[in-house]
């Protein structure tokens, strides 16, 4: 080999060849899944990625002389350094935008209290409980770790993967009622943003404890949350306005892709929350855009389903490859040897489920007592979420994914617990993928009795608050079965478009409103200035 060819960095062709082979293997395994066991796509995707990565590493180690194109893993592993940045700064925005576009904003308004409680307080409590359990285990085995590092691990492992759960629930819509499925998807979608903000603050606190105080944490949260919402709304509205004035499916698709790219770039530059901005923009485009601006909502959903599916394939295969390459146990300080960590890892699996259960149970009970203290009747969504069985369903639905792995890999080497945190994180992600994913449907069916879809009477009822939770985001029920008078024939009808979802104001109306507000403020200021001058003249 020529010296100039023996470069330290990876060659572009190495990455493309490796990506091509791994994507091909994933495609073959998923095809075999459809032809044989037919497990949910999201679970088959993650398992296929891990198996493909394992196979590539085994072939590379056993037959290094074959030199199969694309399996030069020594060069390929250089790309793993940029994996956390790729996930958190680029891929996460696309994935959350695609998921948020499927969320019904009308139902979100009616369940905002319960989803906010699950997304914020459940994430915080899960981080604290996981930190406590890990701290107790490590202290008991003679390998103590500062609680701040344990808290960092809790923040890494607390976010759930909306892709995995949403994929399972989509594949079998009779598994849970729509209201409960909406609560699960909504909580999984928003807790990612909370976990990333918490992780960022804790990582800075550990690295520079003297520079981080309460003021810094408040400023960071306000900047991440407020700026994230503003960026998501502004770019989402701009894309909505552009699509209102065009009737071209290709151009509409390009607008949505460029929208997410601009959100990623702007939020990263301003230090705002990319997940939160992407979710806000996805809600606007997925609800108002598909209903009032786009020429075809079907092509939009197909496009973003394709983007989400392929992006998840790449993320899972990279996660499997990186995790297998980097698995090494840290040194122990006691007489137990390295095997003590295997016990800690296995113990953290049930303890993480317990932490998840407690972090769901406590906020929901607080919310229930709040309704009782205010003398209000419990919200239908809260009544559906309070039962012990559904709390267990939410617990089992808290699957981990690539976000947790990316957060763990983004830790710098100067954090002494980086290796241990990564191993624990990867173990819990594997457990979620294999055990919780493969046994999701049997466990859910055991926890909840099968529900029966409600048929609509001959005369259509008026739309109520609870009915809207069973409708789609565009205000339609695609196939409502109505029995005819003879009891045999059935026909499909469509409900009229919901009057609760109205078009967003036009750009000219927004500018006119802003101008009127500015004029009104100026007019109110003039009398005040005039009165003050008159008063000064009288005093003189």
């Amino acid at each position: 080999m020529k010296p100039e060819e023996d470069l330290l960095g990876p060659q572009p062709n190495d990455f493309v060849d490796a990506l091509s082979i791994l994507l091909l293997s994933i495609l073959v395994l998923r095809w075999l899944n459809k032809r044989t066991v037919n497990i949910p796509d999201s679970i088959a995707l993650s398992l296929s990625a891990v198996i493909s990565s394992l196979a590539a590493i085994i072939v590379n180690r056993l037959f290094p002389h074959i030199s199969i194109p694309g399996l030069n893993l020594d060069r390929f592993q250089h790309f793993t350094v940029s994996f956390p940045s790729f996930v958190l700064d680029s891929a996460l925005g696309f994935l959350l935008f695609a998921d948020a576009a499927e969320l019904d904003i009308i139902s979100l308004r009616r369940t905002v209290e319960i989803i906010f409680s699950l997304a914020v307080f459940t994430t915080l409590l899960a981080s604290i409980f996981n930190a406590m359990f890990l701290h107790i285990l490590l202290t008991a085995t003679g390998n103590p770790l500062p609680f701040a590092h344990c808290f960092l691990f809790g923040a890494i492992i607390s976010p759930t993967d909306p892709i995995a759960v949403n994929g399972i629930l989509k594949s079998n819509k009779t598994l849970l009622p729509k209201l409960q499925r909406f609560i699960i998807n909504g909580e999984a979608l928003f807790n990612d943003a909370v976990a990333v903000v918490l992780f960022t603050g804790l990582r800075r606190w550990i690295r520079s404890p003297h520079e981080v105080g309460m003021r810094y944490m408040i400023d960071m949260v306000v900047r991440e949350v407020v700026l994230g919402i503003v960026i998501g709304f502004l770019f989402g509205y701009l894309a909505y306005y552009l699509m209102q004035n065009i009737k071209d499916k290709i151009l509409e698709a390009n607008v949505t892709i460029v929208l997410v790219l601009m959100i990623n770039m702007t939020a990263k530059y301003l230090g705002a929350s990319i997940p939160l901005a992407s979710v806000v923009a996805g809600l606007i485009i997925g609800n108002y855009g598909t209903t009032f601006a786009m020429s075809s909502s079907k092509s939009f959903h197909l496009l973003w389903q394709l983007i989400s599916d392929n992006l998840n394939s790449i993320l899972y295969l990279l996660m499997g490859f990186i995790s297998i390459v980097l698995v090494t146990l840290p040194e122990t300080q006691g007489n137990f040897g390295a095997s003590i960590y295997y016990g800690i890892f296995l113990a953290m699996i049930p303890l993480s489920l317990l932490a998840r259960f407690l972090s769901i149970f406590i906020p929901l009970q607080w919310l229930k007592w709040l309704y009782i203290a205010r003398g209000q009747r419990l919200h239908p969504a809260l009544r559906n979420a309070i039962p012990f069985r559904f709390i267990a369903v939410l617990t089992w639905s808290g699957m981990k994914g690539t976000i947790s792995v990316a957060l763990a890999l983004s830790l710098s080497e100067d954090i002494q617990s980086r290796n241990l945190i990564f191993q624990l994180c990867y173990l819990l992600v594997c457990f979620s993928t294999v055990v919780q994913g493969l046994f999701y449907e049997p466990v859910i069916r055991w926890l909840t009795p099968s529900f029966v879809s409600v048929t609509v009477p001959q005369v259509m009822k008026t739309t109520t608050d609870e009915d809207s939770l069973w409708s789609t985001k565009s205000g339609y029920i695609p196939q409502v079965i109505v029995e005819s008078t003879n009891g045999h024939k059935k026909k499909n009808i469509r409900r009229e478009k919901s009057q609760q979802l109205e078009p967003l104001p036009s750009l000219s109306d927004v500018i006119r409103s802003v101008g009127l507000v500015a004029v009104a403020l100026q007019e109110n200021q003039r009398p005040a200035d005039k009165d003050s001058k008159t008063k000064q003249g009288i005093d003189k």
Side-chain angles (χ1 to χ4, degrees):
M1 181 180 292
K2 296 180 181 180
E4 58 269 20
E5 295 179 355
D6 190 14
L7 302 176
L8 295 177
Q11 298 296 312
N13 289 336
D14 295 335
F15 179 75
V16 173
D17 291 341
L19 195 62
S20 301
I21 289 179
L22 293 177
L23 283 176
L24 174 63
S25 60
I26 288 178
L27 180 63
V28 172
L29 290 173
R30 293 183 67 186
W31 180 83
L32 291 175
N33 169 62
K34 289 295 184 182
R35 299 283 296 179
T36 55
V37 293
N38 196 23
I39 60 178
D41 285 340
S42 57
I43 304 304
L45 173 64
S46 56
L47 288 177
S48 301
V50 173
I51 293 173
S52 301
S53 303
L54 274 172
I57 292 175
I58 291 174
V59 171
N60 184 70
R61 295 292 183 263
L62 295 180
F63 308 102
H65 58 282
I66 296 180
S67 300
I68 300 177
L71 290 184
N72 189 353
L73 300 182
D74 293 333
R75 291 180 180 272
F76 181 64
Q77 65 182 351
H78 287 279
F79 287 98
T80 61
V81 177
S82 59
F83 178 78
S85 177
F86 172 66
V87 174
L88 300 176
D89 297 335
S90 300
L92 187 58
F94 281 88
L95 295 176
L96 293 182
F97 178 87
D99 281 348
E102 302 288 337
L103 207 63
D104 181 14
I105 197 170
I106 296 177
S107 300
L108 180 62
R109 293 172 185 170
R110 295 190 172 93
T111 57
V112 63
E113 289 182 340
I114 185 170
I115 290 181
F116 176 82
S117 299
L118 291 174
V120 177
F121 297 110
T122 294
T123 304
L124 293 175
L125 290 175
S127 302
I128 295 173
F129 286 131
N130 278 303
M132 292 172 54
F133 294 149
L134 180 61
H135 184 71
I136 292 173
L137 284 176
L138 292 175
T139 303
T141 56
N143 297 274
L145 194 66
F147 186 80
H149 293 249
C150 297
F151 199 7
L152 184 65
F153 162 76
I156 290 173
I157 209 63
S158 60
T160 58
D161 186 8
I163 310 299
V165 178
N166 194 24
I168 297 175
L169 295 178
K170 276 185 178 180
S171 63
N172 191 349
K173 295 184 178 181
T174 63
L175 194 61
L176 286 171
K178 185 172 183 179
L179 180 57
Q180 295 185 354
R181 287 189 281 120
F182 182 84
I183 293 173
I184 293 174
N185 292 333
E187 185 257 341
L189 191 62
F190 283 94
N191 68 1
D192 292 339
V194 178
V196 171
V197 172
L198 180 61
F199 167 81
T200 303
L202 290 173
R203 182 179 58 180
R204 178 68 182 275
W205 180 34
I206 291 175
R207 298 183 63 180
S208 305
H210 301 292
E211 300 178 3
V212 178
M214 185 59 64
R215 182 178 179 180
Y216 169 82
M217 297 296 292
I218 295 175
D219 291 343
M220 185 198 67
V221 171
V222 171
R223 183 180 66 254
E224 292 260 356
V225 174
V226 175
L227 272 181
I229 294 175
V230 171
I231 291 173
F233 179 80
L234 289 179
F235 280 100
Y237 179 82
L238 181 59
Y240 168 82
Y241 173 76
L242 292 175
M243 289 186 293
Q244 270 191 324
N245 296 277
I246 57 175
K247 295 298 178 184
D248 188 317
K249 296 180 182 179
I250 303 299
L251 189 55
E252 289 172 354
N254 287 331
V255 168
T256 58
I257 294 175
V258 174
L259 164 66
V260 181
L261 291 173
M262 293 303 298
I263 286 176
N264 289 341
M265 183 181 68
T266 307
K268 182 181 178 181
Y269 177 77
L270 297 178
S273 173
I274 293 178
L276 198 55
S278 302
V279 169
V280 172
L283 288 173
I284 294 175
I285 300 301
N287 289 270
Y288 297 98
T290 55
T291 306
F292 302 109
M294 291 185 183
S295 57
S296 174
S297 61
K298 183 178 180 181
S299 59
F300 166 78
H301 290 296
L302 288 176
L303 168 67
W304 280 95
Q305 183 179 358
L306 177 65
I307 292 175
S308 176
D309 185 80
N310 284 280
L311 193 54
N312 268 289
S313 299
I314 296 173
L315 290 181
Y316 271 109
L317 70 89
L318 288 176
M319 183 190 73
F321 172 77
I322 293 170
S323 303
I324 295 169
V325 169
L326 298 181
V327 168
T328 54
L329 291 175
E331 297 181 358
T332 58
Q333 298 177 1
N335 299 323
F336 299 97
S339 60
I340 189 61
Y341 284 109
Y342 294 108
I344 295 174
F345 292 170
L346 294 177
M348 279 305 301
I349 293 176
L351 289 177
S352 65
L353 292 175
L354 177 60
R356 169 79 178 167
F357 180 86
L358 294 176
S359 64
I360 296 172
F361 177 78
I362 294 174
L364 292 183
Q365 290 299 322
W366 285 348
L367 196 57
K368 176 182 177 180
W369 294 333
L370 180 61
Y371 269 85
I372 295 175
R374 293 188 301 192
Q376 295 179 341
R377 183 185 177 188
L378 289 182
H379 192 280
L382 187 59
R383 290 200 303 268
N384 278 271
I386 283 294
F388 177 83
R389 288 180 178 270
F390 186 60
I391 295 178
V393 170
L394 282 169
T395 301
W396 195 253
S397 301
M399 301 173 62
K400 319 300 178 187
T402 53
I403 298 174
S404 297
V405 175
L407 291 176
L409 286 174
S410 66
L411 296 175
S412 57
E413 295 182 357
D414 59 342
I415 297 179
Q416 59 180 358
S417 59
R418 178 180 185 269
N419 195 20
L420 176 61
I421 289 176
F422 176 77
Q423 310 308 325
L424 280 170
C425 172
Y426 182 63
L427 173 71
L428 293 178
V429 169
C430 289
F431 174 81
S432 294
T433 301
V434 179
V435 180
Q436 289 181 253
L438 290 178
F439 296 97
Y440 187 84
E441 291 190 18
V443 171
I444 299 303
R445 293 191 184 280
W446 177 72
L447 289 173
T448 58
S450 59
F451 78 99
V452 181
S453 300
V454 181
T455 57
V456 182
Q458 296 178 8
V459 181
M460 287 293 296
K461 300 184 297 181
T462 58
T463 303
T464 62
D465 289 351
E466 295 187 22
D467 291 336
S468 64
L469 292 174
W470 294 87
S471 62
T472 59
K473 66 174 65 62
S474 59
Y476 290 105
I477 294 181
Q479 292 184 349
V480 180
I481 306 300
V482 180
E483 294 187 3
S484 61
T485 54
N486 57 17
H488 296 286
K489 295 182 180 180
K490 295 184 178 181
K491 62 181 180 179
N492 296 336
I493 63 175
R494 287 183 180 272
R495 180 174 294 179
E496 295 181 358
K497 185 174 290 186
S498 173
Q499 301 298 324
Q500 299 170 349
L501 190 62
E502 299 179 355
L504 294 175
S506 63
L507 185 60
S508 59
D509 292 338
V510 173
I511 296 174
R512 189 180 300 111
S513 300
V514 173
L516 291 175
V517 171
V519 171
L521 292 175
Q522 187 176 4
E523 291 295 333
N524 291 333
Q525 185 68 22
R526 286 178 180 177
D529 295 340
K530 185 177 181 180
D531 293 341
S532 61
K533 292 180 180 179
T534 304
K535 185 177 179 181
Q536 291 177 2
I538 293 175
D539 293 339
K540 290 181 179 179

